[in-house]
Coordinates of all heavy atoms in Angstrom, one line a residue:
M1 N -23.6 14.9 138.0 CA -24.4 14.1 137.2 C -25.0 15.0 136.1 O -25.7 16.0 136.4 CB -25.5 13.4 138.0 CG -26.3 12.5 137.2 SD -27.3 11.6 138.5 CE -28.4 10.8 137.4
S2 N -24.8 14.7 134.8 CA -25.3 15.5 133.7 C -26.7 15.1 133.4 O -27.2 14.0 133.6 CB -24.4 15.4 132.5 OG -24.4 14.1 132.0
K3 N -27.4 16.1 132.8 CA -28.8 15.9 132.4 C -28.8 15.1 131.1 O -27.9 15.4 130.3 CB -29.5 17.2 132.3 CG -29.7 18.0 133.5 CD -30.4 19.3 133.3 CE -30.5 20.0 134.6 NZ -31.2 21.3 134.4
P4 N -29.8 14.2 130.9 CA -29.8 13.5 129.6 C -30.1 14.5 128.5 O -30.9 15.5 128.7 CB -31.0 12.5 129.8 CG -31.8 13.0 130.9 CD -30.8 13.8 131.8
M5 N -29.5 14.3 127.3 CA -29.7 15.2 126.2 C -30.6 14.5 125.2 O -30.6 13.3 125.0 CB -28.3 15.5 125.5 CG -27.4 16.3 126.4 SD -27.9 18.0 126.5 CE -26.8 18.6 127.7
H6 N -31.4 15.3 124.5 CA -32.2 14.8 123.4 C -31.7 15.4 122.1 O -31.1 16.5 122.1 CB -33.7 15.3 123.7 CG -34.3 14.8 124.9 ND1 -34.9 13.6 125.0 CD2 -34.3 15.3 126.2 CE1 -35.3 13.4 126.3 NE2 -34.9 14.5 127.0
T7 N -31.8 14.6 121.1 CA -31.3 15.1 119.8 C -32.4 15.8 119.0 O -33.6 15.4 119.0 CB -30.9 13.8 118.9 OG1 -29.9 13.1 119.7 CG2 -30.4 14.3 117.6
A8 N -32.0 16.9 118.4 CA -32.9 17.7 117.6 C -32.2 17.9 116.3 O -31.0 18.0 116.2 CB -33.2 19.1 118.3
S9 N -33.0 18.0 115.2 CA -32.5 18.2 113.9 C -33.1 19.4 113.3 O -34.3 19.5 113.4 CB -32.7 16.9 113.0 OG -32.3 17.1 111.7
F10 N -32.3 20.3 112.7 CA -32.9 21.5 112.1 C -31.9 21.9 111.0 O -30.7 21.5 110.9 CB -33.1 22.6 113.1 CG -31.9 22.8 114.0 CD1 -31.0 23.8 113.6 CD2 -31.8 22.2 115.2 CE1 -29.9 24.0 114.4 CE2 -30.7 22.4 116.0 CZ -29.8 23.3 115.6
K11 N -32.4 22.7 110.1 CA -31.6 23.2 108.9 C -31.2 24.6 109.2 O -31.9 25.4 109.7 CB -32.5 23.1 107.7 CG -32.9 21.7 107.3 CD -33.7 21.7 106.1 CE -34.1 20.2 105.8 NZ -34.8 20.1 104.5
L12 N -29.9 24.9 108.7 CA -29.4 26.2 108.8 C -28.9 26.7 107.4 O -28.5 25.9 106.6 CB -28.1 26.2 109.7 CG -28.2 25.7 111.1 CD1 -26.9 25.6 111.8 CD2 -29.1 26.6 111.9
T13 N -29.0 28.0 107.2 CA -28.4 28.5 106.0 C -26.9 28.4 106.1 O -26.4 28.2 107.2 CB -28.8 30.0 105.8 OG1 -28.2 30.7 106.9 CG2 -30.3 30.3 105.8
Q14 N -26.3 28.4 104.9 CA -24.8 28.3 104.9 C -24.2 29.4 105.7 O -23.2 29.2 106.5 CB -24.3 28.3 103.5 CG -22.8 28.0 103.4 CD -22.5 26.6 103.8 OE1 -23.1 25.6 103.4 NE2 -21.5 26.4 104.8
Q15 N -24.7 30.6 105.7 CA -24.2 31.8 106.4 C -24.2 31.5 107.9 O -23.3 31.8 108.6 CB -24.9 33.0 106.0 CG -24.4 34.3 106.7 CD -25.2 35.5 106.3 OE1 -26.3 35.4 105.7 NE2 -24.7 36.7 106.7
I16 N -25.4 31.0 108.4 CA -25.5 30.8 109.8 C -24.6 29.6 110.3 O -24.0 29.7 111.3 CB -27.0 30.5 110.2 CG1 -27.8 31.7 110.0 CG2 -27.1 30.0 111.6 CD1 -29.3 31.5 110.1
D17 N -24.5 28.6 109.4 CA -23.7 27.4 109.7 C -22.2 27.9 109.8 O -21.5 27.5 110.8 CB -23.9 26.4 108.7 CG -23.2 25.1 109.0 OD1 -23.5 24.5 110.1 OD2 -22.3 24.7 108.3
D18 N -21.8 28.7 108.9 CA -20.4 29.2 108.9 C -20.1 30.0 110.1 O -19.1 29.9 110.8 CB -20.1 30.0 107.7 CG -20.1 29.1 106.4 OD1 -20.0 27.9 106.5 OD2 -20.1 29.7 105.3
A19 N -21.1 30.9 110.5 CA -20.9 31.8 111.6 C -20.9 31.0 112.9 O -20.1 31.3 113.8 CB -22.1 32.8 111.7
L20 N -21.7 30.0 113.0 CA -21.8 29.1 114.2 C -20.4 28.4 114.4 O -19.9 28.3 115.5 CB -22.9 28.1 114.1 CG -23.1 27.1 115.2 CD1 -23.3 27.8 116.6 CD2 -24.2 26.2 114.9
T21 N -19.9 27.9 113.3 CA -18.6 27.1 113.3 C -17.5 28.1 113.7 O -16.7 27.7 114.6 CB -18.3 26.5 111.9 OG1 -19.3 25.6 111.6 CG2 -17.0 25.8 111.9
A22 N -17.5 29.3 113.2 CA -16.5 30.3 113.5 C -16.6 30.7 115.0 O -15.5 30.8 115.7 CB -16.6 31.5 112.6
L23 N -17.8 30.9 115.5 CA -18.0 31.3 116.9 C -17.5 30.1 117.8 O -16.9 30.4 118.8 CB -19.4 31.6 117.1 CG -19.8 32.1 118.6 CD1 -19.0 33.3 119.0 CD2 -21.3 32.3 118.7
A24 N -17.9 28.9 117.4 CA -17.4 27.8 118.3 C -15.9 27.7 118.4 O -15.4 27.4 119.4 CB -18.0 26.5 117.7
R25 N -15.2 27.9 117.3 CA -13.8 27.9 117.3 C -13.2 29.0 118.2 O -12.3 28.8 119.0 CB -13.2 28.1 115.9 CG -13.3 26.9 115.0 CD -12.5 27.0 113.8 NE -12.8 25.9 112.9 CZ -13.3 26.1 111.6 NH1 -13.4 27.3 111.1 NH2 -13.5 25.0 110.9
R26 N -13.8 30.2 118.0 CA -13.3 31.4 118.8 C -13.5 31.1 120.3 O -12.7 31.5 121.1 CB -14.0 32.6 118.4 CG -13.5 33.2 117.1 CD -14.0 34.7 116.9 NE -15.4 34.9 117.1 CZ -16.3 34.8 116.2 NH1 -16.0 34.4 114.9 NH2 -17.6 35.0 116.4
R27 N -14.6 30.6 120.7 CA -15.0 30.4 122.1 C -14.5 29.1 122.6 O -14.5 28.8 123.8 CB -16.5 30.5 122.3 CG -16.9 31.9 122.1 CD -18.4 32.2 122.3 NE -18.8 31.7 123.7 CZ -20.1 31.7 124.1 NH1 -21.0 32.2 123.2 NH2 -20.4 31.4 125.3
G28 N -14.0 28.2 121.8 CA -13.5 26.9 122.2 C -14.6 26.0 122.8 O -14.4 25.3 123.8
A29 N -15.8 26.1 122.2 CA -16.9 25.4 122.6 C -17.5 24.6 121.4 O -17.1 24.8 120.3 CB -18.0 26.4 123.1
S30 N -18.3 23.7 121.7 CA -18.9 22.9 120.6 C -20.1 23.7 120.0 O -20.7 24.5 120.7 CB -19.5 21.5 121.2 OG -20.6 21.7 122.0
R31 N -20.4 23.3 118.8 CA -21.5 24.0 118.1 C -22.8 23.7 118.9 O -23.7 24.5 119.1 CB -21.6 23.5 116.7 CG -20.5 24.0 115.8 CD -20.4 23.2 114.5 NE -21.6 22.8 113.9 CZ -22.2 23.5 112.9 NH1 -21.6 24.5 112.3 NH2 -23.4 23.1 112.4
S32 N -22.9 22.4 119.4 CA -24.1 22.1 120.1 C -24.3 22.9 121.4 O -25.4 23.3 121.7 CB -24.1 20.6 120.5 OG -24.2 19.8 119.4
A33 N -23.2 23.1 122.1 CA -23.2 23.9 123.3 C -23.7 25.4 123.0 O -24.5 25.9 123.7 CB -21.9 24.0 124.0
L34 N -23.2 25.9 121.9 CA -23.6 27.3 121.5 C -25.1 27.3 121.1 O -25.8 28.3 121.5 CB -22.8 27.8 120.4 CG -21.3 28.0 120.7 CD1 -20.6 28.5 119.4 CD2 -21.1 29.0 121.8
V35 N -25.6 26.3 120.4 CA -27.0 26.3 120.1 C -27.9 26.2 121.3 O -28.9 26.9 121.5 CB -27.3 25.2 119.1 CG1 -28.8 25.0 118.8 CG2 -26.6 25.5 117.7
R36 N -27.4 25.3 122.2 CA -28.2 25.2 123.5 C -28.2 26.5 124.3 O -29.3 26.9 124.8 CB -27.6 24.1 124.4 CG -28.0 22.7 124.0 CD -27.5 21.6 125.0 NE -26.1 21.6 125.3 CZ -25.2 20.9 124.6 NH1 -25.7 20.1 123.6 NH2 -24.0 20.9 124.9
E37 N -27.1 27.2 124.3 CA -27.0 28.4 125.0 C -27.9 29.5 124.4 O -28.7 30.2 125.1 CB -25.6 28.9 125.0 CG -25.3 30.3 125.7 CD -23.9 30.7 125.5 OE1 -22.9 29.9 125.5 OE2 -23.7 31.9 125.3
A38 N -27.9 29.5 123.1 CA -28.8 30.5 122.4 C -30.2 30.2 122.6 O -31.1 31.1 122.8 CB -28.4 30.5 120.9
L39 N -30.6 28.9 122.4 CA -32.0 28.5 122.6 C -32.5 28.8 124.0 O -33.6 29.2 124.3 CB -32.2 27.1 122.2 CG -32.1 26.8 120.7 CD1 -32.1 25.3 120.4 CD2 -33.3 27.5 120.0
A40 N -31.6 28.5 125.0 CA -32.0 28.7 126.4 C -32.2 30.2 126.6 O -33.2 30.6 127.3 CB -30.9 28.2 127.3
A41 N -31.3 31.1 126.1 CA -31.5 32.5 126.2 C -32.8 33.0 125.6 O -33.5 33.8 126.1 CB -30.3 33.2 125.6
Y42 N -33.1 32.4 124.4 CA -34.3 32.8 123.7 C -35.6 32.3 124.3 O -36.6 33.0 124.3 CB -34.2 32.3 122.3 CG -35.3 32.9 121.3 CD1 -35.2 34.2 120.9 CD2 -36.3 32.1 121.0 CE1 -36.2 34.7 120.0 CE2 -37.3 32.6 120.1 CZ -37.3 33.8 119.7 OH -38.2 34.3 118.8
T43 N -35.6 31.1 124.9 CA -36.8 30.5 125.3 C -37.0 30.5 126.9 O -38.1 30.5 127.3 CB -36.9 29.0 124.9 OG1 -35.8 28.3 125.4 CG2 -36.9 28.9 123.4
L44 N -35.9 30.6 127.6 CA -36.1 30.4 129.1 C -36.0 31.8 129.8 O -36.5 31.9 130.9 CB -35.0 29.5 129.6 CG -35.0 28.1 129.1 CD1 -33.9 27.2 129.7 CD2 -36.4 27.4 129.3
D45 N -35.3 32.8 129.2 CA -35.2 34.1 129.9 C -36.6 34.7 129.9 O -37.4 34.6 129.1 CB -34.2 35.0 129.1 CG -32.8 34.6 129.3 OD1 -32.5 33.7 130.2 OD2 -31.9 35.2 128.7
K46 N -36.8 35.5 131.0 CA -38.0 36.2 131.2 C -38.1 37.3 130.2 O -37.0 38.0 129.9 CB -38.1 36.7 132.6 CG -38.2 35.7 133.7 CD -38.3 36.3 135.0 CE -38.4 35.2 136.1 NZ -38.3 35.7 137.4
P47 N -39.2 37.6 129.6 CA -39.3 38.7 128.6 C -39.0 40.0 129.3 O -39.4 40.2 130.5 CB -40.7 38.6 128.1 CG -41.5 37.7 129.0 CD -40.5 36.9 129.8
R48 N -38.3 40.9 128.6 CA -38.0 42.2 129.2 C -38.9 43.3 128.5 O -39.3 43.1 127.4 CB -36.6 42.6 128.9 CG -35.6 41.7 129.6 CD -34.2 42.1 129.4 NE -33.9 42.5 128.0 CZ -32.8 43.0 127.6 NH1 -31.9 43.2 128.4 NH2 -32.7 43.3 126.3
S49 N -39.2 44.3 129.3 CA -39.9 45.4 128.7 C -39.0 46.2 127.8 O -37.8 46.2 128.0 CB -40.6 46.3 129.8 OG -39.5 47.0 130.4
I50 N -39.5 47.0 126.9 CA -38.7 47.9 126.1 C -37.9 48.9 127.0 O -36.8 49.3 126.8 CB -39.5 48.6 125.0 CG1 -38.6 49.4 124.1 CG2 -40.5 49.6 125.6 CD1 -37.7 48.5 123.2
T51 N -38.6 49.3 128.1 CA -38.0 50.3 129.0 C -36.7 49.7 129.7 O -35.7 50.3 129.8 CB -39.0 50.7 130.1 OG1 -40.1 51.2 129.5 CG2 -38.4 51.7 131.1
S52 N -36.8 48.4 130.1 CA -35.6 47.8 130.8 C -34.5 47.6 129.7 O -33.3 47.7 130.1 CB -36.0 46.5 131.4 OG -36.4 45.5 130.5
A53 N -34.9 47.3 128.5 CA -33.9 47.1 127.5 C -33.1 48.4 127.2 O -31.9 48.5 127.1 CB -34.5 46.6 126.2
V54 N -33.9 49.5 127.1 CA -33.3 50.9 126.9 C -32.5 51.2 128.1 O -31.4 51.8 127.9 CB -34.4 51.9 126.6 CG1 -33.8 53.3 126.6 CG2 -35.1 51.6 125.3
D55 N -32.9 51.0 129.3 CA -32.2 51.3 130.5 C -30.8 50.6 130.5 O -29.8 51.2 130.8 CB -32.9 50.9 131.8 CG -34.1 51.8 132.1 OD1 -34.1 52.9 131.5 OD2 -34.9 51.5 132.9
E56 N -30.8 49.3 130.0 CA -29.6 48.6 130.0 C -28.6 49.2 128.9 O -27.4 49.3 129.2 CB -29.9 47.1 129.6 CG -28.7 46.2 129.6 CD -29.1 44.8 129.2 OE1 -30.1 44.3 129.8 OE2 -28.3 44.2 128.5
L57 N -29.2 49.6 127.8 CA -28.3 50.1 126.8 C -27.8 51.5 127.1 O -26.7 51.9 126.7 CB -29.1 50.2 125.4 CG -29.4 48.9 124.8 CD1 -30.3 49.1 123.6 CD2 -28.1 48.2 124.4
S58 N -28.5 52.3 127.9 CA -28.2 53.6 128.2 C -27.6 53.8 129.6 O -27.4 54.9 130.0 CB -29.4 54.6 128.0 OG -30.4 54.2 128.9
S59 N -27.2 52.7 130.2 CA -26.7 52.8 131.6 C -25.4 53.6 131.7 O -25.1 54.1 132.8 CB -26.5 51.4 132.2 OG -25.6 50.7 131.4
D60 N -24.6 53.7 130.6 CA -23.4 54.4 130.7 C -23.5 55.9 130.3 O -22.6 56.6 130.4 CB -22.4 53.8 129.7 CG -21.9 52.4 130.2 OD1 -22.0 52.1 131.4 OD2 -21.5 51.6 129.4
V61 N -24.7 56.3 130.0 CA -25.0 57.7 129.6 C -25.1 58.5 130.9 O -25.9 58.1 131.8 CB -26.2 57.8 128.7 CG1 -26.5 59.3 128.4 CG2 -26.1 57.0 127.5
E62 N -24.4 59.6 130.9 CA -24.5 60.5 132.1 C -25.5 61.6 131.9 O -25.7 62.0 130.8 CB -23.1 61.1 132.4 CG -22.1 60.0 132.8 CD -20.9 60.6 133.5 OE1 -21.0 61.7 134.0 OE2 -19.9 59.9 133.5
G63 N -26.1 62.0 133.0 CA -27.1 63.0 132.9 C -28.3 62.7 133.8 O -28.3 61.7 134.5
P64 N -29.2 63.6 133.9 CA -30.4 63.4 134.7 C -31.2 62.2 134.2 O -31.3 62.1 133.0 CB -31.2 64.7 134.7 CG -30.8 65.3 133.4 CD -29.4 64.9 133.2
P65 N -31.8 61.4 135.1 CA -32.6 60.3 134.6 C -33.9 60.8 133.9 O -34.5 60.0 133.2 CB -32.9 59.5 135.9 CG -32.8 60.5 137.0 CD -31.7 61.5 136.5
D66 N -34.3 62.0 134.2 CA -35.6 62.5 133.6 C -35.4 64.0 133.4 O -34.9 64.7 134.3 CB -36.7 62.3 134.7 CG -38.0 62.6 134.1 OD1 -38.1 63.5 133.3 OD2 -39.0 62.1 134.6
L67 N -35.8 64.6 132.3 CA -35.6 66.0 132.1 C -36.4 66.9 133.1 O -36.1 68.0 133.3 CB -36.1 66.4 130.6 CG -35.2 65.9 129.5 CD1 -35.8 66.2 128.2 CD2 -33.8 66.5 129.7
S68 N -37.4 66.3 133.7 CA -38.2 67.1 134.7 C -37.3 67.4 135.9 O -37.8 68.3 136.7 CB -39.4 66.4 135.1 OG -39.1 65.2 135.8
T69 N -36.2 66.8 136.1 CA -35.3 67.2 137.2 C -34.5 68.4 136.9 O -33.9 68.9 137.8 CB -34.3 66.0 137.5 OG1 -33.5 65.8 136.4 CG2 -35.1 64.7 137.9
N70 N -34.5 68.9 135.7 CA -33.8 70.1 135.3 C -34.8 71.3 135.5 O -35.8 71.5 134.8 CB -33.4 70.0 133.8 CG -32.6 71.2 133.4 OD1 -32.6 72.3 134.0 ND2 -31.9 71.1 132.3
P71 N -34.5 72.2 136.5 CA -35.4 73.3 136.8 C -35.5 74.2 135.6 O -36.6 74.8 135.4 CB -34.7 74.0 137.9 CG -33.4 73.4 138.1 CD -33.3 72.2 137.3
N72 N -34.5 74.4 134.7 CA -34.7 75.2 133.5 C -35.7 74.7 132.6 O -36.5 75.4 131.9 CB -33.3 75.4 132.8 CG -32.3 76.1 133.6 OD1 -32.7 77.0 134.4 ND2 -31.1 75.7 133.5
Y73 N -35.8 73.4 132.5 CA -36.8 72.8 131.6 C -38.2 73.0 132.1 O -39.1 73.2 131.3 CB -36.5 71.3 131.5 CG -37.4 70.5 130.6 CD1 -37.4 70.6 129.2 CD2 -38.4 69.7 131.1 CE1 -38.3 70.0 128.4 CE2 -39.3 69.0 130.3 CZ -39.2 69.2 129.0 OH -40.1 68.5 128.2
M74 N -38.3 73.0 133.4 CA -39.7 73.1 134.0 C -40.1 74.6 134.3 O -41.2 74.8 134.8 CB -39.7 72.3 135.3 CG -39.5 70.8 135.1 SD -40.7 70.1 134.0 CE -42.2 70.2 135.0
A75 N -39.2 75.5 134.0 CA -39.5 76.9 134.3 C -40.7 77.4 133.5 O -40.9 77.1 132.3 CB -38.3 77.8 133.8
G76 N -41.7 77.9 134.3 CA -42.9 78.4 133.7 C -44.0 77.4 133.5 O -45.1 77.7 133.0
F77 N -43.7 76.1 133.8 CA -44.6 75.1 133.6 C -45.7 75.2 134.6 O -45.4 75.4 135.8 CB -44.0 73.7 133.6 CG -44.9 72.5 133.4 CD1 -45.3 72.3 132.1 CD2 -45.3 71.8 134.4 CE1 -46.2 71.2 131.8 CE2 -46.2 70.7 134.2 CZ -46.6 70.4 132.9
G78 N -47.0 75.1 134.2 CA -48.1 75.1 135.1 C -48.6 76.5 135.5 O -49.4 76.6 136.3
K79 N -48.1 77.5 134.9 CA -48.5 78.8 135.2 C -49.7 79.2 134.3 O -49.9 78.8 133.2 CB -47.4 79.9 135.0 CG -46.4 79.8 136.1 CD -45.4 80.9 135.9 CE -44.4 80.8 137.0 NZ -43.4 81.8 136.9

C-alpha cells in the first residue's frame, strides 16, 4: 500500500531543470522521484559532524589514524 502523495509547486532555474531531466533519464526514474529522494536526504537524514564527513571522505587513505601513533613524531615530546 503506497503512501498518499501531496503536490508541491516550486520554481527551478533552467540549468537545474535541465540537470534534473537528464538525471531522470540516466537513472530511469521520474523527476518527482528524484526530487523526493533529494528532499528526503536533505531534510530527514541526521546531521553529521564535520569529523564524520572527513572520515567518510578519507576512509580509503592509508596510514596511521593519528600522527601521535608515530614514535618519530613524538620523539622528545614532554622532555
